[in-house]
Amino acid sequence: MESLFTNVPIKRTIDIILKRIYQNHEISTNMNKRTLKKLITDTCTKTAFSFNNKLYQQKDGVSMGSSLGPVLANIIMTELENKIIKPLITDGTIKFYSGFVDDTLLIVKPENVKQIHDQLNKFDKNLRFTVHMIEDVVPHFLNLELTPDGISISQKDTNTGLYVNFNSYVPWSHRISWIRSLVTRASSICSPNKLQSKIKIIKRFASWNSFPKSIANTLINKALTTSANKENIKTNLDEKSKETVIYFRFPFYGDKCFALMKSCLCKIRSKCKKDHPINFRLLYDVTKMEFFCNTKDKTPMLNQSFVVYEFKCPGCDANYIGKTERTLFERSEEHAWKDKNSVVFNHLNECHGVQHIFNMNRIAPSLFSDIDNVDDAQDIRASYINLVQQNTRIIDRHPNWNILLFKEAIKIKERKPVLNTGLKASKELKLF
């Protein structure tokens, strides 16, 4: 399937959720149907994101990285399986079906491929399916390459082969863990005739990450031997399960750290009872790069949430302080146009300085004037939104809503904003 998450039909998926809960009673809840619908809709359609230095609002589909993405994708896919796949399995058109989110594997007769493909694409206009037949290309399923002569692990073109470097300032077990992991995965999944080609790729990755050839070969051979002796490992684990395991966590400070820990453990073992086996395990905390510098792109101001903000009128310097748990992009849109009861909205309509600015730019001065031309109305709306967003700045933040309330109240008391006069929406500061 092509880009399932970003093409999930939100409205249809929400209707499916509500039907399963309130009609089919598959899940019991005391939440009102309208409330649940609004919560899911707001979560999925009021996400702001930037592209080419412009802000956009999500209208359909689920943004990548959203915690709701896998849930909503699974729900729409189960609906597809109930409506399309099950009838085709029942009448014998589909001989075998296996699916995981947007990856599906089917065994069908060649003459039925087009029929099944057309039915899948008719399920919803947002969802588009692609067909890979084993005669044309090597089909992929769950990052596996399925060929007539065996199974292998698929390698994406975007894979850079960048892993923990041999010279990284981390414990030795951290540096070699990725090699063991890749070898174990390859030996567990790949067919015998495909294994050696994947081992060559792992050796190439080890070379790219500065591992000496002899060390890389030793680690790979050891991992292969360990994978081949799974039964012995299981027996050893059963015996070790009778031990008492005690974990110690220490910050990692190079090779001297190992000598210090070894000395400490020797002293601790000497004080323990000999008749009861104890297994001491060391965990090391490494210092991440983000401790020294920011490794991520800075979030644009209007994309930030749980903030205290200040708006300053460009026409008369009147200011307003507020807080929001949503994105500042969404809240500024309400102040500028959507919320007709907003103090900022009413002030913009009444401020002579703002109207003078708009007159200079040949923009209709009144928000409430009757505008016949749709394009003119959109231009006016955009102008007011831009004005509010350009004159708004963040003055404090906190992820806890209750603390954010107090921070807003403190800022209002400190700065005495003109437009907040008479408002009771902020937290009242009291000592008790």
Side-chain angles (χ1 to χ4, degrees):
M1 183 182 292
E2 300 176 359
S3 305
L4 173 59
F5 280 20
T6 53
N7 288 303
V8 170
I10 294 298
K11 186 177 182 302
R12 182 174 183 178
T13 307
I14 293 174
D15 291 339
I16 293 170
I17 294 171
L18 298 177
K19 181 180 178 181
R20 292 182 182 181
I21 293 176
Y22 296 101
Q23 291 186 22
N24 302 342
H25 303 288
E26 295 180 14
I27 299 175
S28 59
T29 178
N30 295 325
M31 186 176 291
N32 182 275
K33 181 179 179 180
R34 183 179 297 177
T35 303
L36 180 60
K37 182 177 181 179
K38 187 176 189 308
L39 284 173
I40 303 175
T41 304
D42 288 351
T43 304
C44 296
T45 61
K46 294 188 176 180
T47 302
F49 62 93
S50 60
F51 178 73
N52 285 343
N53 296 323
K54 290 185 179 180
L55 285 173
Y56 299 88
Q57 192 168 353
Q58 186 93 12
K59 293 297 184 184
D60 205 359
V62 183
S63 57
M64 297 301 293
S66 169
S67 56
L68 280 177
V71 177
L72 297 179
N74 274 322
I75 289 171
I76 194 65
M77 287 303 294
T78 55
E79 185 71 9
L80 180 141
E81 290 174 355
N82 291 331
K83 299 289 185 181
I84 306 295
I85 302 297
K86 282 187 177 179
L88 292 173
I89 294 175
T90 303
D91 64 19
T93 305
I94 295 178
K95 305 299 181 182
F96 173 83
Y97 170 83
S98 180
F100 184 81
V101 192
D102 59 344
D103 274 358
T104 54
L105 178 65
L106 303 177
I107 297 179
V108 298
K109 292 181 179 179
E111 58 268 22
N112 293 331
V113 172
K114 188 178 185 307
Q115 172 199 348
I116 297 171
H117 188 212
D118 291 341
Q119 289 195 40
L120 291 173
N121 282 331
K122 287 179 182 177
F123 175 71
D124 193 279
K125 63 182 179 64
N126 283 20
L127 304 179
R128 298 288 94 189
F129 289 82
T130 55
V131 177
H132 297 288
M133 298 182 67
I134 202 166
E135 294 86 357
D136 303 329
V137 295
V138 177
H140 292 174
F141 178 65
L142 299 179
N143 289 333
L144 301 179
E145 291 182 354
L146 309 177
T147 58
D149 60 339
I151 299 175
S152 182
I153 299 171
S154 64
Q155 195 75 38
K156 292 185 178 180
D157 295 335
T158 54
N159 189 347
T160 60
L162 181 64
Y163 294 95
V164 180
N165 194 279
F166 178 76
N167 299 311
S168 295
Y169 189 72
V170 294
W172 176 248
S173 59
H174 289 208
R175 274 179 271 179
I176 65 174
S177 59
W178 67 269
I179 295 179
R180 292 201 307 258
S181 177
L182 292 182
V183 173
T184 302
R185 183 179 70 155
S187 60
S188 302
I189 294 175
C190 294
S191 302
N193 59 324
K194 301 282 187 179
L195 180 58
Q196 285 307 312
S197 61
K198 292 303 171 185
I199 296 299
K200 287 181 180 178
I201 293 174
I202 297 171
K203 289 181 178 180
R204 191 188 312 151
F205 289 164
S207 175
W208 291 351
N209 289 277
S210 303
F211 276 79
K213 186 176 181 180
S214 58
I215 294 178
N217 289 337
T218 301
L219 292 172
I220 291 172
N221 292 333
K222 186 177 179 181
L224 287 171
T225 304
T226 303
S227 299
N229 298 327
K230 291 180 180 179
E231 292 299 325
N232 295 334
I233 294 173
K234 184 178 179 182
T235 304
N236 293 335
L237 289 175
D238 292 339
E239 293 176 357
K240 287 185 177 181
S241 63
K242 301 174 184 177
E243 298 176 340
T244 299
V245 180
I246 299 177
Y247 292 91
F248 289 94
R249 183 180 291 275
F250 298 99
F252 177 73
Y253 289 111
D255 295 337
K256 293 181 179 179
C257 169
F258 296 117
L260 178 61
M261 294 305 104
K262 186 176 180 180
S263 175
C264 290
L265 288 181
C266 287
K267 292 179 180 179
I268 294 173
R269 284 196 181 96
S270 65
K271 303 296 182 182
C272 296
K273 294 181 179 180
K274 305 296 182 182
D275 58 342
H276 187 75
I278 298 177
N279 186 7
F280 295 99
R281 296 185 183 178
L282 300 179
L283 302 176
Y284 294 99
D285 290 327
V286 297
T287 305
K288 296 182 179 180
M289 185 66 71
E290 62 188 19
F291 178 82
F292 302 101
C293 61
N294 193 1
T295 57
K296 295 183 178 179
D297 294 336
K298 187 177 180 180
T299 304
M301 184 191 74
L302 295 175
N303 279 19
Q304 298 181 36
S305 55
F306 282 94
V307 297
V308 179
Y309 59 91
E310 180 181 28
F311 164 76
K312 185 167 287 189
C313 176
C316 63
D317 279 344
N319 58 336
Y320 171 84
I321 291 178
K323 83 284 184 187
T324 180
E325 61 181 333
R326 297 169 294 162
T327 61
L328 195 56
F329 175 83
E330 185 178 353
R331 188 68 182 117
S332 60
E333 274 197 331
E334 292 176 347
H335 279 312
W337 192 267
K338 292 182 179 179
D339 186 3
K340 301 298 187 285
N341 296 320
S342 168
V343 176
V344 175
F345 177 87
N346 292 321
H347 175 77
L348 293 177
N349 188 54
E350 297 170 358
C351 179
H352 295 292
V354 171
Q355 302 307 317
H356 179 67
I357 293 172
F358 285 156
N359 283 330
M360 290 176 62
N361 291 282
R362 298 180 181 179
I363 298 173
S366 177
L367 291 172
F368 302 106
S369 60
D370 295 329
I371 304 169
D372 296 329
N373 193 319
V374 176
D375 292 335
D376 290 344
Q378 291 178 348
D379 290 341
I380 295 170
R381 177 180 182 275
S383 299
Y384 275 93
I385 292 173
N386 288 335
L387 183 141
V388 172
Q389 292 177 347
Q390 290 172 5
N391 292 278
T392 299
R393 65 190 185 98
I394 295 173
I395 55 177
D396 214 333
R397 68 184 75 242
H398 202 279
N400 186 298
W401 175 250
N402 291 321
I403 297 177
L404 196 69
L405 291 175
F406 284 104
K407 283 182 173 289
E408 179 203 30
I410 291 171
K411 293 298 180 183
I412 290 175
K413 188 174 181 63
E414 287 177 353
R415 306 194 180 196
K416 298 180 174 56
V418 177
L419 299 181
N420 287 78
T421 305
L423 296 179
K424 296 182 179 180
S426 61
K427 193 79 174 176
E428 187 176 357
L429 292 175
K430 290 183 178 181
L431 293 176
F432 54 90

